[in-house]
Amino acid sequence: MDKYYLAVDIGASSGRHILASMVDGKMELEEIYRFPNGMDNVDGTLCWDVKRLFTEIKNGLKKCKELGKIPSFMGIDTWAVDYVLLDKEDKVLGKTIGYRDSRTNGMDEKVYETISLSALYARTGIQKQIFNTIYQLMAVKQSHPEYLEQAESMLMIPDYFDFLLTGVKKMEYTNATSTQLVDPKTNDWDYELIDMLGYNSKMFQPVSMPGTVVGNFTKEIQEEVGFDCTVVLPATHDTGSAVLAVPTNNDNAIYISSGTWSLMGIERKEADCSMASMQANFTNEGGYDHRFRFLKNIMGLWMIQSVKKEFEEDLSFAEICERASKENITSIVDCNDDCFFAPESMIKAVQNFCANTDQLVPNTVGEISAVVYNSLAYCYGETVKEIEAITGNTYDTIYVVGGGANAGYLNELTAKYTGKKVSAGPTEATAIGNLTVQMLQDGVFADLPEARTCIGKSFDIKYYE
């Protein structure tokens, strides 16, 4: 009888349940359930509907029961930085506000009244992004200080779902580091920093590493879904899971976790909290086995996803790539410019940027898409130069994992702009990384190098030069 492992992988636009089993030494996947996700505008505030998302998690578990493929282990990963505050009765305090909400505007200056940006980076190694949890909590402190006072615990979104399944509270390490409140030397909360900012230190749960067993389903969940299961912490930050699925054991590999965001970087044994790293806008996010993901956040496929919604024609991404590949427009936009973060119209944002920088303004589907794809690849090329300058190393291959590995045109451009070989795949990287940690915990693999070797043999990889 096959032994099953379940990854619940929830992204900003959709979630899915993927079962895995080992067959003839290879990992085999089966997607059994998928559901939509997105932020809802609730009285002018962008929020996550965590109740609905948890219902969808349970619906997917019921699907496992229906199929007769009951997982022995499961793990949940999501995006980073967002959280819930729970009171003494474990009820959520306030709305579960999403990272694209504008409440954090100006909160960076409030934080810097206590600690400067450079001092903050030296302590945490985390790239400044206005939606980081440190700024979200400052927004709460300004508008609803009673929530911080009443909070008995803070849980990141996947940790909250684990709690609802098991009744056990754990704060997973890779997601905790995205708060910008973790010390990269101790790999624990920087309680001095937390106290300096006036945040309630008692609400911060002890940090647990990926591979930690959370617990088994509560009796109520067992009765509702029809079985029991052991819940394991994967790298609950989806990028942390995706990087685990990079199919190489070469320590000098550059990766791009390509999805809504493009996360481009390397793995390191120690964080680089230098000013050179800060000025280049790199971050040191926690990874599996206390590795650091030294990377840069690039706007990513969010831009092409956004313009696709605005096109009058209902085109697939393959069709959009095809049209873009036939264009010769040379305009380039700065993908990391704030104007592309949450514009009312992404097309207008691209056109305005080109107009304001005296470049040819794109108008057709092909031209607009070509500008976006070429701009992403150009940004990748600039990021490679920065990584090589900071580390003093050179790299010959870029490993693209995640949904963007399917974008053949973008992979060709990436090879062109970086001058590197490009290895594309696996596409289901986040789920695979999630499942890999479960299998490591269960003894299927002796260590991560063995797991990565298996991943390389199990899934299709394409190469570009």
Side-chain angles (χ1 to χ4, degrees), residues 8-30:
V8 180
D9 172 28
I10 308 177
S13 59
S14 67
R16 64 264 179 85
H17 290 56
I18 294 182
L19 281 171
S21 57
M22 293 296 293
V23 179
D24 297 328
K26 294 183 178 180
M27 194 186 299
E28 290 198 353
L29 306 184
E30 178 185 3

Side-chain angles (χ1 to χ4, degrees), residues 141-304:
K141 184 180 176 185
Q142 298 300 311
S143 60
H144 291 285
E146 71 277 12
Y147 292 165
L148 289 183
E149 294 167 10
Q150 296 167 17
E152 290 290 323
S153 51
M154 181 181 89
L155 294 174
M156 307 306 282
I157 296 293
D159 298 324
Y160 177 57
F161 292 144
D162 286 342
F163 168 63
L164 295 178
L165 287 172
T166 66
V168 178
K169 296 175 184 175
K170 296 283 187 185
M171 176 68 86
E172 189 273 329
Y173 168 69
T174 67
N175 220 323
T177 63
S178 76
T179 64
Q180 209 171 350
L181 292 166
V182 168
D183 184 328
K185 295 184 180 68
T186 65
N187 296 306
D188 196 1
W189 298 113
D190 186 335
Y191 285 105
E192 183 181 41
L193 174 61
I194 289 167
D195 289 340
M196 285 166 56
L197 293 167
Y199 301 159
N200 178 359
S201 60
K202 74 176 181 181
M203 69 186 187
F204 291 85
Q205 307 294 305
V207 176
S208 297
M209 294 304 297
T212 300
V213 172
V214 181
N216 283 55
F217 291 167
T218 63
K219 288 183 179 179
E220 292 78 9
I221 295 295
Q222 290 180 42
E223 290 172 2
E224 184 173 354
V225 303
F227 64 92
D228 191 17
C229 182
T230 301
V231 178
V232 173
L233 292 178
T236 65
H237 182 180
D238 50 12
T239 309
S241 277
V243 170
L244 277 163
V246 172
T248 181
N249 288 308
N250 181 355
D251 287 339
N252 285 326
I254 292 181
Y255 56 78
I256 302 175
S257 174
S258 181
T260 301
W261 293 90
S262 288
L263 296 310
M264 185 173 190
I266 58 175
E267 281 189 310
R268 306 185 83 166
K269 299 290 176 63
E270 295 181 357
D272 180 349
C273 301
S274 68
M275 286 302 99
S277 175
M278 186 194 84
Q279 288 163 1
N281 216 19
F282 277 80
T283 197
N284 296 270
E285 296 174 350
Y288 181 79
D289 194 26
H290 292 115
R291 298 162 185 248
F292 288 94
R293 289 174 285 118
F294 182 69
L295 59 82
K296 175 172 280 193
N297 251 12
I298 300 167
M299 199 64 75
L301 296 179
W302 159 252
M303 293 180 70
I304 203 70

Side-chain angles (χ1 to χ4, degrees), residues 341-357:
F341 183 63
E344 290 185 15
S345 168
M346 185 65 76
I347 290 176
K348 288 183 179 178
V350 170
Q351 292 173 328
N352 290 340
F353 191 99
C354 291
N356 294 336
T357 51

Side-chain angles (χ1 to χ4, degrees), residues 56-73:
E56 296 286 19
I57 291 172
K58 292 185 290 184
N59 287 342
L61 293 173
K62 292 172 186 175
K63 187 68 174 178
C64 293
K65 176 67 172 178
E66 180 185 318
L67 294 172
K69 297 180 177 180
I70 295 175
S72 300
F73 296 87

